Amino acid sequence: MKENTALTKGKNVFLLAMLSCFLWGSATPAIKIGYGMFSIDSTDTASIILFAGVRFFLAGILVVLFQSLLRKRFLAPQKEALPSIFALSLAQTAVQYLFFYIGLAHTTGVHGTIISGTGGFISILMASLLFHYEKLTPAKLLGCIAGFAGILIMNLSGQEAGSLFDVSFLGEGFVFLSQISYAVSGILIKKFSTRFDVVMLSGWQFTLGGLLMIAAGFIGGGHIALPTGWQPYLLLVYMGLISAVAYSVWGLLLQHNPISRVSIYTFLTPLFGVLLSAVFLGEWEQAASLKTLAALALVCGGIYVVNRKQSQEAQKD
């Protein structure tokens, strides 16, 4: 696979990773607002899965259509790529967002986005310890510890002496499980991108994953109310674009850079998520709490430590 030097430059990696993380951070308030617009109850799991499936099917169609127009040919998947597309559709879409959507329905936008930051931590550990794509250096470990410490601080309970963490398995627990699936998908993208076009993989795995979730939602008795007005449908298109743009860009970055150099930026997703949740969900008190500010400081510190070391190594090369 020919290396794209523009995608390995530190400034470009930073800006593109920031774009993806901003989009992912905006997903949390968008999803919670979408639940209200489409009259989806937080206890109606089947409808939540159906709603998520529609979003990702739309995301896949947008990627395929846009790239087909851009390349002036239909972005068809190769026969040899179908197993890879299926594996990605499970890890990156169906399983990850099954947990994420259900978890988000049972926790706040601030908590959901902060916990989403663990995806970068898990990705780095998996890439280093399980798949041996790179070494777990002291800087990477320190950055991960700082970022994960921020997640723990965010979820410390200050209400009951007998309860250390203010979490629920169906809420924060499911969001955390979604990040494990996200980490696995990042490893798979790194592996499959050596053989196949990463944008093609992204578009078709969203399409297949979305169809799987739609089918599961319908089978489970899910339904979505069709609201009046254009705002809910504009929101749905935006949610599709979040996935279409963020994951395509992220996949390209993973293709041309070490996993740790890219994944550490996922710790920024909580920063954007907290700010946008405060603005659009009115969670100002929680966003401005000392715990949240301390958590975000540790998260940003972890990113700085890892990327400072990565930049030094890149300059030596």
Side-chain angles (χ1 to χ4, degrees):
M1 184 70 67
K2 186 179 180 180
E3 183 177 350
N4 186 330
T5 56
L7 292 172
T8 61
K9 292 182 179 179
K11 181 180 179 180
N12 294 341
V13 172
F14 171 75
L15 292 174
L16 291 172
M18 287 277 284
L19 171 63
S20 291
C21 291
F22 174 84
L23 291 170
W24 282 326
S26 72
T28 297
I31 291 168
K32 294 185 78 69
I33 292 171
Y35 287 157
M37 285 185 167
F38 288 89
S39 303
I40 298 174
D41 190 271
S42 62
T43 61
D44 189 351
T45 301
S47 295
I48 289 173
I49 295 172
L50 177 59
F51 183 56
V54 171
R55 171 198 171 187
F56 293 116
F57 178 74
L58 177 61
I61 294 300
L62 288 172
V63 172
V64 172
L65 286 178
F66 179 74
Q67 288 298 318
S68 296
L69 291 172
L70 191 65
R71 303 180 189 194
K72 297 181 180 180
R73 61 179 176 82
F74 183 61
L75 187 67
Q78 305 101 303
K79 184 178 179 181
E80 299 79 11
L82 295 180
S84 300
I85 290 171
F86 180 72
L88 276 175
S89 71
L90 291 178
Q92 189 167 316
T93 300
V95 175
Q96 178 186 348
Y97 283 98
L98 172 69
F99 284 118
F100 187 72
Y101 268 67
I102 294 174
L104 201 57
H106 295 86
T107 187
T108 65
V110 168
H111 268 210
T113 50
I114 289 286
I115 295 172
S116 295
T118 57
F121 168 77
I122 299 169
S123 294
I124 293 172
L125 291 182
M126 280 189 172
S128 302
L129 301 179
L130 296 181
F131 296 91
H132 306 293
Y133 283 142
E134 51 192 86
K135 293 181 180 180
L136 183 63
T137 64
K140 293 176 186 176
L141 184 59
L142 179 60
C144 288
I145 291 173
F148 196 57
I151 306 301
L152 293 178
I153 289 175
M154 182 67 247
N155 290 285
L156 285 174
S157 172
Q159 298 176 359
E160 298 180 20
S163 176
L164 180 60
F165 295 105
D166 183 20
V167 299
S168 72
F169 179 69
L170 197 59
E172 289 84 355
F174 267 39
V175 175
F176 181 75
L177 289 175
S178 77
Q179 295 311 298
I180 295 177
S181 183
Y182 157 81
V184 172
S185 73
I187 300 295
L188 292 177
I189 290 173
K190 184 72 174 179
K191 178 181 179 181
F192 298 152
S193 65
T194 60
R195 297 180 57 202
F196 306 113
D197 178 0
V198 70
V199 177
M200 179 275 294
L201 289 174
S202 180
W204 284 106
Q205 72 85 12
F206 275 133
T207 304
L208 177 58
L211 285 174
L212 291 173
M213 296 184 80
I214 289 172
F218 272 127
I219 292 171
H223 66 279
I224 298 176
L226 297 180
T228 58
W230 55 269
Q231 294 92 339
Y233 303 102
L234 181 62
L235 176 67
L236 189 59
V237 171
Y238 174 73
M239 291 169 66
L241 286 171
I242 288 173
S243 301
V245 175
Y247 275 108
S248 295
V249 169
W250 200 255
L252 289 171
L253 290 176
L254 286 174
Q255 181 179 355
H256 296 283
N257 295 277
I259 291 175
S260 60
R261 188 185 189 195
V262 179
S263 293
I264 192 64
Y265 281 105
T266 56
F267 286 134
L268 275 178
T269 300
L271 174 62
F272 292 120
V274 167
L275 293 175
L276 294 171
S277 292
V279 172
F280 292 103
L281 300 178
E283 297 176 358
W284 287 103
E285 183 176 352
Q286 189 174 14
S289 69
L290 183 60
K291 287 192 302 182
T292 299
L293 296 176
L296 292 178
L298 285 168
V299 163
C300 293
I303 294 171
Y304 172 77
V305 169
V306 172
N307 281 282
R308 182 171 181 272
K309 184 64 176 179
Q310 292 280 8
S311 298
Q312 291 174 346
E313 292 174 352
Q315 288 174 0
K316 290 180 182 179
D317 295 337

